[in-house]
């Protein structure tokens, strides 16, 4: 262990100018813009599902898609808020109502799908295409969000990663319900929350080392 | 909407927040009222200049912040080296994420949140490491020379036993009763059925014999 005055000297000597982070709401808006761009590009390349307008008349579907989108937006805001040290640690509660609404519609869809399609009714081809959309949406969004929130690693890695993953999951789910006819919410959640768990574990393992390296 | 602290917190927001850290932390170093406000806005200015690359301001800030952080750490750990490492961890964290500080907001909550979070994390990590360690006890100690660690199988004790066995029966019995079983002369005489005088003689001869046998052995070796 080096002496604290020596550490202070070393840190002061490496005090290069830093660019202040923009306000969290601005940064959240920027990321949501990136998300809209990714989803828009996918819409151009994959095409919107044919029965979208028809489905939007179904109130359950409309509520589900609105709740998903709202979850995405609120989770993004809460991720950027909770990543800062001097903001309340209760920000992760912000998307909770939207999440409850979203999850309750998943339950309903699962039930109706069971009744209408029957257990073997989902074609492999559609599932695979669904998965492709899922990866194409969530990978770039996760990367961008991870870069933007990396400074939270030494502070609240768990809450930030959870909120970030929820945001990505919700945006991905919105994209999927625009493009594909099957409900892949469970797959999306497993995929994204699994990734969140991975990020949290990695953060715990390499976070401090990364921090010391960054501070050098 | 979750409660966020108001945009313009009262001057002593430093000791009020964050909720988990502020209740019992931060009072001693700051005094109260105008003094605390002045110090805090001073730190805020220093940090703003440090963000612009002013290393003199940054050094002054860190030098003033370190004792304050130490006072927080001391409340959570008594071990001085633990405290100092936790303080350094906090300073490194401040350095790594100094771009997250917004000079329009008070400096105190930002600092206390980082310090509290890092100190708690650090102590938890320390506790985990300690729980895996076992303290050395005297019986674990050993000596570097090889013969000191060799057990009975090849030690002198075995040679001594062999030497005792090779003695004439009367002498052997005397040694076993008096020296190995540590009986008194009276008890040994009762057990063996011989007189005390003859036991003494037998012991004397046995010791002489053993000395001769063991001396020969060590000369051989």
């Amino acid at each position: 262990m080096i002496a604290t005055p020596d550490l202070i000297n070393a840190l002061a000597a490496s005090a290069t100018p830093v660019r202040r982070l923009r306000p969290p709401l601005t940064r959240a808006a920027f990321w949501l813009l990136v998300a809209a761009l990714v989803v828009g590009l996918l819409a151009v390349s994959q095409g919107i599902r044919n029965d979208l307008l028809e489905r939007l008349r179904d109130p359950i579907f409309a509520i589900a898609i609105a709740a998903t989108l709202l979850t995405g937006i609120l989770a993004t805001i809460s991720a950027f808020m909770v990543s800062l040290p001097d903001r309340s640690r209760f920000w992760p509660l912000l998307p909770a109502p939207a999440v409850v609404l979203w999850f309750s519609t998943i339950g309903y869809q699962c039930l109706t799908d069971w009744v209408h399609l029957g257990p073997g009714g989902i074609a492999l081809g559609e599932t695979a295409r669904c998965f492709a959309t899922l990866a194409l949406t969530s990978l770039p969004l996760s990367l961008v969000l991870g870069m933007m929130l990396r400074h939270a690693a030494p502070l609240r890695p768990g809450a930030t990663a959870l909120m970030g993953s929820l945001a990505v999951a919700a945006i991905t789910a919105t994209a999927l319900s625009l493009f594909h006819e099957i409900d892949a919410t469970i797959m999306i959640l497993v995929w994204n929350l699994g990734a969140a768990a991975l990020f949290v574990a990695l953060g715990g393992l390499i976070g401090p080392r990364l921090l010391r390296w960054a501070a050098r | 909407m979750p409660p966020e602290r108001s945009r313009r917190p009262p001057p002593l927001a430093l000791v009020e927040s964050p909720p988990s850290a502020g209740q019992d932390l931060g009072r001693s170093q700051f005094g109260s009222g105008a003094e605390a406000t002045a110090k805090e806005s001073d730190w805020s200015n220093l940090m703003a200049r440090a963000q612009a690359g002013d290393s003199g301001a940054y050094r002054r800030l860190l030098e003033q912040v370190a004792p304050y952080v130490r006072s927080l750490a001391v409340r959570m750990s008594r071990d001085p080296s633990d405290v100092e490492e936790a303080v350094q961890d906090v300073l490194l964290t401040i350095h790594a994420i100094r771009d997250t500080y917004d000079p329009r907001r008070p400096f105190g909550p930002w600092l206390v949140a980082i310090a509290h979070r890092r100190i708690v994390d650090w102590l938890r990590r320390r506790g985990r490491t300690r729980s895996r360690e076992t303290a050395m006890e005297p019986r674990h100690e050993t000596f570097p020379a090889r013969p000191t660690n060799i057990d009975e199988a090849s030690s002198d004790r075995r040679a001594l036993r062999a030497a005792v066995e090779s003695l004439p029966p009367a002498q052997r019995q005397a040694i076993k009763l008096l020296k190995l079983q540590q009986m008194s002369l009276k008890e040994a005489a009762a057990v063996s059925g011989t007189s005390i005088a003859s036991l003494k003689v037998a012991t004397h001869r046995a010791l002489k014999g053993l000395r001769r046998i063991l001396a020969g052995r060590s000369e051989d070796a």
Side-chain angles (χ1 to χ4, degrees), chain B residues 91-168:
Chain B
L91 293 182
L92 284 168
T93 308
I94 289 175
H95 183 77
I97 62 169
R98 63 192 190 281
D99 57 342
T100 64
Y101 176 62
D102 178 355
R104 285 168 300 179
R105 295 171 68 86
F107 186 79
W110 187 82
L111 174 67
V112 171
I114 293 177
H116 187 255
R117 197 56 226 229
R118 291 315 297 167
I119 293 169
V120 167
D121 271 12
W122 200 89
L123 290 176
R124 201 179 289 153
R125 217 159 53 228
R126 190 86 199 98
R128 266 206 301 268
T129 319
R130 290 236 166 109
S131 70
R132 288 196 215 101
E133 290 170 350
T134 312
M136 285 289 273
E137 287 170 25
R139 67 190 170 88
H140 294 136
E141 278 180 17
T142 183
F143 297 95
R146 236 169 68 82
T148 55
N149 296 317
I150 297 172
D151 64 3
E152 198 188 331
S154 56
S155 74
D156 288 348
R157 211 185 295 183
R158 197 171 168 184
L160 180 63
R161 288 224 169 118
V164 170
E165 290 304 319
S166 69
L167 291 171

Side-chain angles (χ1 to χ4, degrees), chain B residues 18-89:
Chain B
S20 57
Q23 303 307 322
D24 57 339
L25 300 177
R27 266 172 235 277
S28 66
Q29 291 283 316
F30 275 82
S32 61
E35 191 195 340
T37 316
K39 194 165 199 173
E40 207 190 325
S41 75
D42 192 31
W43 285 1
S44 183
N45 285 335
L46 289 178
M47 185 46 124
R49 278 160 60 194
Q51 285 174 329
D54 180 345
S55 71
Y58 192 37
R59 181 195 310 272
R60 261 213 321 280
L61 174 73
L62 292 180
E63 279 167 359
Q64 291 177 23
V65 158
Y68 174 61
V69 173
R70 196 171 294 122
S71 77
L72 298 186
V74 162
R75 291 170 202 214
M76 298 192 224
S77 170
R78 304 216 171 275
D79 185 335
S81 76
D82 274 8
V83 167
E84 215 44 40
E85 282 199 45
V87 170
Q88 297 193 1
D89 191 60

Side-chain angles (χ1 to χ4, degrees), chain A residues 1-5 7-25 81 83-94 150-158 204 208 211-212 214-216, chain B residues 1-5 7 18-20 48-55 58-59 62-63 66 70 81 84-85 87-89 91-93 95-106 109-110 113-114 117-118 121-122 125:
Chain A
M1 189 174 79
I2 66 168
T4 304
L7 177 73
I8 290 177
N9 284 339
L11 292 180
S14 61
T16 48
V18 288
R19 208 172 56 81
R20 264 170 227 142
L21 292 183
R22 293 183 198 292
L25 285 179
M81 282 294 184
S83 75
L84 293 174
D86 55 348
R87 308 295 169 126
S88 167
R89 67 210 159 98
F90 295 110
W91 274 102
L93 296 178
L94 179 66
R150 66 188 183 283
H151 59 82
L155 297 169
R156 298 172 179 141
L211 186 72
R212 272 175 202 280
R216 218 167 266 167
Chain B
M1 168 87 52
E4 193 204 356
R5 279 187 300 285
R7 293 262 160 211
S20 57
R49 278 160 60 194
Q51 285 174 329
D54 180 345
S55 71
Y58 192 37
R59 181 195 310 272
L62 292 180
E63 279 167 359
R70 196 171 294 122
S81 76
E84 215 44 40
E85 282 199 45
V87 170
Q88 297 193 1
D89 191 60
L91 293 182
L92 284 168
T93 308
H95 183 77
I97 62 169
R98 63 192 190 281
D99 57 342
T100 64
Y101 176 62
D102 178 355
R104 285 168 300 179
R105 295 171 68 86
W110 187 82
I114 293 177
R117 197 56 226 229
R118 291 315 297 167
D121 271 12
W122 200 89
R125 217 159 53 228

Side-chain angles (χ1 to χ4, degrees), chain A residues 97-122:
Chain A
V99 169
V100 169
L101 194 61
W102 177 24
F103 283 15
S104 65
T105 58
I106 296 172
Y108 192 75
Q109 280 176 6
C110 282
L111 193 65
T112 52
D113 277 356
W114 184 270
V115 172
H116 287 291
L117 287 173
I122 297 170

Side-chain angles (χ1 to χ4, degrees), chain A residues 10 47 58 89-90 141 145 156 160 164 169 193:
Chain A
D58 175 4
R89 67 210 159 98
F90 295 110
L141 291 183
L145 196 60
R156 298 172 179 141
T160 310
L193 296 184

